[in-house]
Amino acid sequence: QVQLVESGGGLVQPGGSLRLACSASGSIFSFNAMGWYRQAPGKQRELVASITKTGLTNYADSVKGRFSISRDNPKNTVYLRMNRLDTEDTAVYYCKAQRDSGLNYWGQGTPVTVSS
């Protein structure tokens, strides 16, 4: 059973930065892609950023130029660096891992609150 554990969320002021981490119980190289999603109160869960096994990245338009996703295969960890945070970035952030078969695994989420 794959387990994904997110960490790094918290309270930050507008304009600040955070780095989220998603640690997997097994080798992340076994996943076709990994990604970060977020869900704000009253809104649907949305893709923030993803990274494939080969390192190709994709970002939501709202975070391009501010967020950066990366992976550390030996540590079985995927990171999301978030800069110039805005109140609109407040949400619970979830990590997702996807198999080649399409099977998805989700973490439990880590809350991010951007507020002065």
Side-chain angles (χ1 to χ4, degrees), residues 6 10 17 22 26 30 36 40 46 51 57-58 74 79 83 95-96 99 103 106 110 112:
E6 300 99 333
S17 299
C22 172
S30 67
W36 285 96
E46 62 176 0
I51 185 166
T57 57
N58 181 50
Y79 300 98
N83 295 324
C95 177
K96 187 186 87 169
R99 297 280 193 199
L103 183 63
W106 291 90
T110 185
V112 172

PDB file of all heavy atoms in Angstrom, residues 6 10 17 22 26 30 36 40 46 51 57-58 74 79 83 95-96 99 103 106 110 112:
ATOM      1  N   GLU A   6       2.251  14.535   3.230  1.00  0.00           N
ATOM      2  CA  GLU A   6       2.623  15.915   2.940  1.00  0.00           C
ATOM      3  C   GLU A   6       3.067  16.626   4.214  1.00  0.00           C
ATOM      4  O   GLU A   6       2.594  16.312   5.314  1.00  0.00           O
ATOM      5  CB  GLU A   6       1.445  16.699   2.339  1.00  0.00           C
ATOM      6  CG  GLU A   6       0.899  16.138   1.041  1.00  0.00           C
ATOM      7  CD  GLU A   6      -0.350  15.309   1.262  1.00  0.00           C
ATOM      8  OE1 GLU A   6      -0.497  14.746   2.371  1.00  0.00           O
ATOM      9  OE2 GLU A   6      -1.181  15.213   0.349  1.00  0.00           O
ATOM     10  N   GLY A  10       1.306  25.736   6.479  1.00  0.00           N
ATOM     11  CA  GLY A  10       1.234  26.600   7.647  1.00  0.00           C
ATOM     12  C   GLY A  10       0.680  27.963   7.302  1.00  0.00           C
ATOM     13  O   GLY A  10       0.096  28.170   6.239  1.00  0.00           O
ATOM     14  N   SER A  17       6.907  32.884   1.414  1.00  0.00           N
ATOM     15  CA  SER A  17       7.220  31.635   0.723  1.00  0.00           C
ATOM     16  C   SER A  17       7.038  30.440   1.649  1.00  0.00           C
ATOM     17  O   SER A  17       7.160  30.563   2.877  1.00  0.00           O
ATOM     18  CB  SER A  17       8.671  31.650   0.223  1.00  0.00           C
ATOM     19  OG  SER A  17       8.897  32.698  -0.689  1.00  0.00           O
ATOM     20  N   CYS A  22       6.300  16.116  -0.179  1.00  0.00           N
ATOM     21  CA  CYS A  22       5.470  14.917  -0.246  1.00  0.00           C
ATOM     22  C   CYS A  22       6.399  13.711  -0.228  1.00  0.00           C
ATOM     23  O   CYS A  22       7.126  13.478  -1.205  1.00  0.00           O
ATOM     24  CB  CYS A  22       4.620  14.927  -1.505  1.00  0.00           C
ATOM     25  SG  CYS A  22       3.723  13.387  -1.807  1.00  0.00           S
ATOM     26  N   GLY A  26       7.302   4.350  -0.917  1.00  0.00           N
ATOM     27  CA  GLY A  26       8.108   3.548  -1.819  1.00  0.00           C
ATOM     28  C   GLY A  26       8.818   4.428  -2.825  1.00  0.00           C
ATOM     29  O   GLY A  26       8.818   5.654  -2.706  1.00  0.00           O
ATOM     30  N   SER A  30       8.602   4.699  -9.485  1.00  0.00           N
ATOM     31  CA  SER A  30       7.622   3.732  -9.979  1.00  0.00           C
ATOM     32  C   SER A  30       6.344   4.406 -10.451  1.00  0.00           C
ATOM     33  O   SER A  30       5.487   3.750 -11.042  1.00  0.00           O
ATOM     34  CB  SER A  30       7.286   2.726  -8.869  1.00  0.00           C
ATOM     35  OG  SER A  30       6.601   3.382  -7.808  1.00  0.00           O
ATOM     36  N   TRP A  36       0.821  18.134  -7.370  1.00  0.00           N
ATOM     37  CA  TRP A  36       0.232  18.850  -6.237  1.00  0.00           C
ATOM     38  C   TRP A  36      -1.091  19.437  -6.689  1.00  0.00           C
ATOM     39  O   TRP A  36      -1.172  20.058  -7.761  1.00  0.00           O
ATOM     40  CB  TRP A  36       1.157  19.965  -5.770  1.00  0.00           C
ATOM     41  CG  TRP A  36       2.347  19.488  -5.012  1.00  0.00           C
ATOM     42  CD1 TRP A  36       3.598  19.254  -5.512  1.00  0.00           C
ATOM     43  CD2 TRP A  36       2.403  19.176  -3.615  1.00  0.00           C
ATOM     44  NE1 TRP A  36       4.430  18.814  -4.516  1.00  0.00           N
ATOM     45  CE2 TRP A  36       3.720  18.766  -3.337  1.00  0.00           C
ATOM     46  CE3 TRP A  36       1.483  19.218  -2.575  1.00  0.00           C
ATOM     47  CZ2 TRP A  36       4.139  18.386  -2.059  1.00  0.00           C
ATOM     48  CZ3 TRP A  36       1.886  18.846  -1.307  1.00  0.00           C
ATOM     49  CH2 TRP A  36       3.198  18.441  -1.060  1.00  0.00           C
ATOM     50  N   ALA A  40      -9.591  24.883  -2.101  1.00  0.00           N
ATOM     51  CA  ALA A  40      -9.968  25.991  -1.227  1.00  0.00           C
ATOM     52  C   ALA A  40     -11.395  25.768  -0.737  1.00  0.00           C
ATOM     53  O   ALA A  40     -12.172  25.045  -1.375  1.00  0.00           O
ATOM     54  CB  ALA A  40      -9.862  27.309  -1.986  1.00  0.00           C
ATOM     55  N   GLU A  46      -8.171  21.443  -7.549  1.00  0.00           N
ATOM     56  CA  GLU A  46      -7.579  21.812  -8.831  1.00  0.00           C
ATOM     57  C   GLU A  46      -6.103  21.460  -8.860  1.00  0.00           C
ATOM     58  O   GLU A  46      -5.422  21.446  -7.834  1.00  0.00           O
ATOM     59  CB  GLU A  46      -7.732  23.319  -9.090  1.00  0.00           C
ATOM     60  CG  GLU A  46      -7.044  24.210  -8.072  1.00  0.00           C
ATOM     61  CD  GLU A  46      -7.138  25.693  -8.402  1.00  0.00           C
ATOM     62  OE1 GLU A  46      -7.745  26.051  -9.425  1.00  0.00           O
ATOM     63  OE2 GLU A  46      -6.598  26.495  -7.623  1.00  0.00           O
ATOM     64  N   ILE A  51       4.730  16.751 -12.232  1.00  0.00           N
ATOM     65  CA  ILE A  51       6.038  16.425 -12.779  1.00  0.00           C
ATOM     66  C   ILE A  51       6.038  14.951 -13.154  1.00  0.00           C
ATOM     67  O   ILE A  51       5.573  14.095 -12.395  1.00  0.00           O
ATOM     68  CB  ILE A  51       7.161  16.754 -11.769  1.00  0.00           C
ATOM     69  CG1 ILE A  51       8.542  16.537 -12.393  1.00  0.00           C
ATOM     70  CG2 ILE A  51       7.016  15.970 -10.469  1.00  0.00           C
ATOM     71  CD1 ILE A  51       9.674  17.144 -11.586  1.00  0.00           C
ATOM     72  N   THR A  57       7.442  19.185 -16.463  1.00  0.00           N
ATOM     73  CA  THR A  57       6.578  19.850 -15.488  1.00  0.00           C
ATOM     74  C   THR A  57       5.414  20.566 -16.170  1.00  0.00           C
ATOM     75  O   THR A  57       5.494  20.942 -17.343  1.00  0.00           O
ATOM     76  CB  THR A  57       7.371  20.870 -14.659  1.00  0.00           C
ATOM     77  OG1 THR A  57       7.974  21.821 -15.542  1.00  0.00           O
ATOM     78  CG2 THR A  57       8.450  20.184 -13.842  1.00  0.00           C
ATOM     79  N   ASN A  58       4.372  20.754 -15.386  1.00  0.00           N
ATOM     80  CA  ASN A  58       3.191  21.463 -15.859  1.00  0.00           C
ATOM     81  C   ASN A  58       2.632  22.269 -14.695  1.00  0.00           C
ATOM     82  O   ASN A  58       2.627  21.774 -13.557  1.00  0.00           O
ATOM     83  CB  ASN A  58       2.133  20.469 -16.361  1.00  0.00           C
ATOM     84  CG  ASN A  58       0.900  21.170 -16.882  1.00  0.00           C
ATOM     85  OD1 ASN A  58       0.990  22.082 -17.684  1.00  0.00           O
ATOM     86  ND2 ASN A  58      -0.266  20.751 -16.402  1.00  0.00           N
ATOM     87  N   PRO A  74      16.102   9.748  -4.936  1.00  0.00           N
ATOM     88  CA  PRO A  74      16.703   8.969  -3.840  1.00  0.00           C
ATOM     89  C   PRO A  74      15.971   9.141  -2.507  1.00  0.00           C
ATOM     90  O   PRO A  74      15.968   8.225  -1.690  1.00  0.00           O
ATOM     91  CB  PRO A  74      18.129   9.510  -3.764  1.00  0.00           C
ATOM     92  CG  PRO A  74      18.411  10.030  -5.122  1.00  0.00           C
ATOM     93  CD  PRO A  74      17.096  10.599  -5.591  1.00  0.00           C
ATOM     94  N   TYR A  79       8.697  18.022  -4.088  1.00  0.00           N
ATOM     95  CA  TYR A  79       8.581  19.305  -3.409  1.00  0.00           C
ATOM     96  C   TYR A  79       7.746  20.287  -4.234  1.00  0.00           C
ATOM     97  O   TYR A  79       7.685  20.192  -5.468  1.00  0.00           O
ATOM     98  CB  TYR A  79       9.969  19.918  -3.191  1.00  0.00           C
ATOM     99  CG  TYR A  79      10.892  19.074  -2.355  1.00  0.00           C
ATOM    100  CD1 TYR A  79      11.842  18.246  -2.956  1.00  0.00           C
ATOM    101  CD2 TYR A  79      10.811  19.088  -0.963  1.00  0.00           C
ATOM    102  CE1 TYR A  79      12.700  17.469  -2.196  1.00  0.00           C
ATOM    103  CE2 TYR A  79      11.657  18.310  -0.197  1.00  0.00           C
ATOM    104  CZ  TYR A  79      12.596  17.506  -0.814  1.00  0.00           C
ATOM    105  OH  TYR A  79      13.438  16.730  -0.047  1.00  0.00           O
ATOM    106  N   ASN A  83       6.458  30.720  -3.954  1.00  0.00           N
ATOM    107  CA  ASN A  83       6.941  32.077  -3.683  1.00  0.00           C
ATOM    108  C   ASN A  83       5.848  33.094  -3.966  1.00  0.00           C
ATOM    109  O   ASN A  83       4.877  32.809  -4.688  1.00  0.00           O
ATOM    110  CB  ASN A  83       8.157  32.386  -4.563  1.00  0.00           C
ATOM    111  CG  ASN A  83       9.353  31.507  -4.247  1.00  0.00           C
ATOM    112  OD1 ASN A  83       9.611  31.160  -3.091  1.00  0.00           O
ATOM    113  ND2 ASN A  83      10.089  31.134  -5.278  1.00  0.00           N
ATOM    114  N   CYS A  95      -0.979  15.929  -2.293  1.00  0.00           N
ATOM    115  CA  CYS A  95      -0.035  15.280  -3.200  1.00  0.00           C
ATOM    116  C   CYS A  95      -0.726  14.090  -3.853  1.00  0.00           C
ATOM    117  O   CYS A  95      -1.486  13.370  -3.191  1.00  0.00           O
ATOM    118  CB  CYS A  95       1.179  14.820  -2.392  1.00  0.00           C
ATOM    119  SG  CYS A  95       2.419  13.905  -3.327  1.00  0.00           S
ATOM    120  N   LYS A  96      -0.459  13.887  -5.131  1.00  0.00           N
ATOM    121  CA  LYS A  96      -1.006  12.746  -5.848  1.00  0.00           C
ATOM    122  C   LYS A  96       0.088  12.041  -6.612  1.00  0.00           C
ATOM    123  O   LYS A  96       0.956  12.676  -7.206  1.00  0.00           O
ATOM    124  CB  LYS A  96      -2.089  13.203  -6.830  1.00  0.00           C
ATOM    125  CG  LYS A  96      -2.828  12.038  -7.490  1.00  0.00           C
ATOM    126  CD  LYS A  96      -3.793  12.515  -8.564  1.00  0.00           C
ATOM    127  CE  LYS A  96      -3.102  12.654  -9.887  1.00  0.00           C
ATOM    128  NZ  LYS A  96      -4.079  12.871 -10.997  1.00  0.00           N
ATOM    129  N   ARG A  99       0.098   5.895 -11.220  1.00  0.00           N
ATOM    130  CA  ARG A  99       0.748   4.764 -11.875  1.00  0.00           C
ATOM    131  C   ARG A  99       0.548   4.848 -13.383  1.00  0.00           C
ATOM    132  O   ARG A  99      -0.334   5.555 -13.871  1.00  0.00           O
ATOM    133  CB  ARG A  99       0.133   3.454 -11.385  1.00  0.00           C
ATOM    134  CG  ARG A  99       0.309   3.173  -9.913  1.00  0.00           C
ATOM    135  CD  ARG A  99       1.662   2.632  -9.605  1.00  0.00           C
ATOM    136  NE  ARG A  99       1.719   2.073  -8.249  1.00  0.00           N
ATOM    137  CZ  ARG A  99       2.845   1.875  -7.597  1.00  0.00           C
ATOM    138  NH1 ARG A  99       4.003   2.183  -8.164  1.00  0.00           N
ATOM    139  NH2 ARG A  99       2.826   1.372  -6.389  1.00  0.00           N
ATOM    140  N   LEU A 103      -3.933   4.322 -11.983  1.00  0.00           N
ATOM    141  CA  LEU A 103      -4.298   4.269 -10.575  1.00  0.00           C
ATOM    142  C   LEU A 103      -3.652   5.437  -9.837  1.00  0.00           C
ATOM    143  O   LEU A 103      -2.454   5.699 -10.005  1.00  0.00           O
ATOM    144  CB  LEU A 103      -3.840   2.945  -9.972  1.00  0.00           C
ATOM    145  CG  LEU A 103      -4.203   2.682  -8.500  1.00  0.00           C
ATOM    146  CD1 LEU A 103      -5.720   2.624  -8.357  1.00  0.00           C
ATOM    147  CD2 LEU A 103      -3.571   1.377  -8.029  1.00  0.00           C
ATOM    148  N   TRP A 106      -3.446   9.332  -3.090  1.00  0.00           N
ATOM    149  CA  TRP A 106      -3.507  10.686  -2.550  1.00  0.00           C
ATOM    150  C   TRP A 106      -2.958  10.729  -1.131  1.00  0.00           C
ATOM    151  O   TRP A 106      -3.120   9.792  -0.357  1.00  0.00           O
ATOM    152  CB  TRP A 106      -4.956  11.184  -2.518  1.00  0.00           C
ATOM    153  CG  TRP A 106      -5.551  11.432  -3.862  1.00  0.00           C
ATOM    154  CD1 TRP A 106      -6.232  10.547  -4.637  1.00  0.00           C
ATOM    155  CD2 TRP A 106      -5.519  12.659  -4.590  1.00  0.00           C
ATOM    156  NE1 TRP A 106      -6.636  11.153  -5.803  1.00  0.00           N
ATOM    157  CE2 TRP A 106      -6.213  12.442  -5.799  1.00  0.00           C
ATOM    158  CE3 TRP A 106      -4.982  13.921  -4.348  1.00  0.00           C
ATOM    159  CZ2 TRP A 106      -6.374  13.446  -6.765  1.00  0.00           C
ATOM    160  CZ3 TRP A 106      -5.147  14.921  -5.292  1.00  0.00           C
ATOM    161  CH2 TRP A 106      -5.836  14.679  -6.483  1.00  0.00           C
ATOM    162  N   THR A 110      -2.106  19.049   3.367  1.00  0.00           N
ATOM    163  CA  THR A 110      -1.494  19.961   4.327  1.00  0.00           C
ATOM    164  C   THR A 110      -2.067  21.357   4.079  1.00  0.00           C
ATOM    165  O   THR A 110      -2.093  21.820   2.943  1.00  0.00           O
ATOM    166  CB  THR A 110       0.048  19.950   4.224  1.00  0.00           C
ATOM    167  OG1 THR A 110       0.604  20.774   5.250  1.00  0.00           O
ATOM    168  CG2 THR A 110       0.547  20.440   2.873  1.00  0.00           C
ATOM    169  N   VAL A 112      -2.497  25.360   3.862  1.00  0.00           N
ATOM    170  CA  VAL A 112      -1.717  26.570   3.663  1.00  0.00           C
ATOM    171  C   VAL A 112      -2.662  27.763   3.819  1.00  0.00           C
ATOM    172  O   VAL A 112      -3.683  27.836   3.130  1.00  0.00           O
ATOM    173  CB  VAL A 112      -1.063  26.596   2.268  1.00  0.00           C
ATOM    174  CG1 VAL A 112      -0.421  27.957   1.996  1.00  0.00           C
ATOM    175  CG2 VAL A 112      -0.026  25.478   2.150  1.00  0.00           C
TER     176      VAL A 112
END
